[in-house]
Each structure stands twice: as structure tokens, then as C-alpha cells.
Amino acid sequence: MTDAFFAGLPELEPGSVWLVGAGPGDPGLLTLHAANALRQADVIVHDALVNGDCLKLAKPGAALEYAGKRGGKPSPKQRDISLRLVELARAGNRVLRLKGGDPFVFGRGGEEALTLVEHRIPFRIVPGITAGIGGLAYAGIPVTHREVNHAVTFLTGHDSSGVVPDRINWEGIAKGSPVIVMYMAMKHIGQITANLIAGGRSPEEPMAFVCNAATPAQVVLETTLSRAEADVATSGLEPPAIVVVGEVVRLRAALDWVGARDGRVLAADPFADRVLRDRA
């Protein structure tokens, strides 16, 4: 990209930090602001879910610092990451904190921004496409569809201590949200599905796991609430994954555009079998 392409876009000033979302995987999902930040940054502090191809847009000589946090694996402490951003900015660097998805959607971006405010470091927030929307779209699963839902709930599968959050109203979500999208849920999927079924959700509710979403390594597992734990164990799939529960999963039979490129024949009416069952 030429300099003229970025004319009029904001400058990443020395001594400041931009908290930027890189999207769910495909570098083509970077925003123009994100690409602009990559070409200016002196130091890029990136997390584990940032596609390495995105980093190829960094300017020559930019320093790359890995600050990924992965559940169950050795990871830097969040406070240390936040203070490192302060340290780099105070040294006069143009600092880019690059995070997978969106920094404010289960990305700890708010915590990092608050630390910058505490230390009077200028900052900018650049939203990204969150995996709960973009990652599912790459699997052919829309988070909303007029025939299915007028609401959707996003939740995390574990809290800061690494366990299933106990402050979530599982019964309320099970009964009140037609579509549930879950981040970081694979590790505790047995407990989570049990909570939803105990809360009133049908054991036969369609469910899907999208692993390595929006990358060439993407794999999608379709299952149901009652079979999910066993199917995940049999599949051998591992995080990162985005998980969705709801009738929108059935739409993948019609909207799996990635599969269609590889020869999958798409269904014109993915709800036809459901209608027949309902009439029976």
C-alpha cells in the first residue's frame, strides 16, 4: 500500500499506544486503521491469536513482542503486559497492542486501557471483527436470522481464575437467548452444556465448534448439546474455538461458502426437515 492510500488517517504518535483488534484470523479482515497502525508502530505487542500474516504488514525494523495468554499454558500476567505498554510508551515508542478479534470483546482491552489512563499514556481504541461474529460467518453460521432469533448472547467459558463463571445466570440464558455464542468454552464444555440443559435447553439443540476460525486450518464440528462433550473428545479438536448454540447452526447447510468452494453442495432450504418434523 502506498502512503497516499493512508492519507488523512491518524498518526500513531511517539509515546502513545493503540489498542487494535486484528479480527478472527484472515488478514483481509484487518481494518484500514489496523493496517495504518501496523505500518507506523515502532513496537508491536501481539497476542497468541493474531495471525502471523498480519504482522507482515509491520514496517521494516519494527520490534515484535509476544504477549499471548493461552488457558492452561505458561503466560505473562495481565498486569505485567499492561505495565509493559506503559514502559514502551514512556520510552518514546509508537506502540501497537495488537489483539485477536476485538480488544473490548473478552480481550482484556479494557484492563489495558485503564492502566494507560492510570499512567497518563495517550491511547486510541481500534475495534476489530470479533470471532463470535466473523469466525462464525466463515463457518457459514449467521449469529442472527429473522426466522430464528431476534436476540443473541455472548459469554465467556471461563473467568479470570480459569473456571466456569459462577455469576452467569445459566437458566436465564438457556430459556431466554435463542442463540448463544461462547468464547474460551471448549475446556469446560461438559459443565457448560450440563448447565444449559439443566436450565431448560433441549439436549437436541444444534451446536457447532469452529476451531481456528477464518484461517486455512479452520475446522467445524456440528453436534448437539447432549453429544458435544463426547464429540469434541472423539474429534481431537483443540482451542482456539468459537462455540455457538441455536437453530442458526442449521443454516450452515445452506451458507457454508468455504465448503462450497471445495465442492460442497449447499441446501436451498436448510429448515425443510425441521418444518416436516414440526408438522408431524
Side-chain angles (χ1 to χ4, degrees):
M1 295 182 183
T2 65
D3 289 342
F5 189 80
F6 294 97
L9 293 180
E11 291 188 15
L12 175 50
E13 299 287 349
S16 64
V17 179
W18 284 14
L19 300 170
V20 177
D26 186 342
L29 298 179
L30 285 168
T31 65
L32 190 55
H33 277 315
N36 184 39
L38 281 160
R39 66 187 285 275
Q40 296 185 71
D42 301 314
V43 184
I44 301 171
V45 182
H46 62 95
D47 72 16
L49 298 181
V50 172
N51 188 328
D53 288 339
C54 296
L55 300 175
K56 294 178 181 178
L57 297 177
K59 73 177 183 181
L64 304 180
E65 292 195 7
Y66 176 79
K69 295 180 70 64
R70 297 295 299 275
K73 298 180 180 180
S75 304
K77 296 183 182 301
Q78 182 58 57
R79 183 63 176 172
D80 292 339
I81 295 173
S82 299
L83 291 176
R84 178 59 176 162
L85 299 178
V86 173
E87 178 185 19
L88 290 168
R90 283 182 170 168
N93 293 293
R94 299 172 177 87
V95 184
L96 166 56
R97 175 63 168 121
L98 192 62
K99 308 171 80 69
D102 180 279
F104 277 6
V105 181
F106 303 119
R108 301 187 179 93
E111 298 171 49
E112 294 173 3
L114 288 171
T115 300
L116 298 174
V117 172
E118 176 187 351
H119 293 273
R120 302 184 183 278
I121 302 297
F123 68 96
R124 183 186 186 99
I125 305 298
V126 178
I129 299 174
T130 184
I133 296 174
L136 292 181
Y138 268 59
I141 301 172
V143 292
T144 66
H145 185 74
R146 288 194 301 168
E147 293 185 25
V148 175
N149 65 310
H150 295 88
V152 58
T153 295
F154 295 88
L155 61 86
T156 177
H158 66 75
D159 60 20
S160 58
S161 63
V163 300
V164 177
D166 57 9
R167 288 183 290 179
I168 290 179
N169 183 345
W170 293 102
E171 182 178 359
I173 291 173
K175 292 180 178 179
S177 185
V179 173
I180 307 167
V181 178
M182 296 179 277
Y183 296 69
M184 299 170 284
M186 185 174 280
K187 180 179 179 181
H188 301 298
I189 200 61
Q191 182 179 346
I192 290 170
T193 53
N195 288 346
L196 290 172
I197 292 171
R201 204 72 171 204
S202 168
E204 298 307 309
E205 185 90 14
M207 187 173 188
F209 294 76
V210 185
C211 298
N212 297 305
T215 73
Q218 175 176 292
V219 178
V220 182
L221 170 66
E222 294 184 55
T223 181
T224 65
L225 270 178
S226 62
R227 299 199 310 267
E229 184 177 19
D231 286 351
V232 166
T234 301
S235 72
L237 295 178
E238 296 183 351
I242 196 76
V243 184
V244 57
V245 177
E247 289 293 313
V248 290
V249 173
R250 298 185 189 276
L251 282 157
R252 186 167 187 265
L255 303 180
D256 180 16
W257 59 276
V258 173
R261 294 185 307 182
D262 297 326
R264 179 177 184 176
V265 178
L266 301 181
D269 184 0
F271 294 121
D273 62 337
R274 186 188 70 172
V275 173
L276 290 174
R277 285 200 306 273
D278 289 346
R279 289 175 179 173

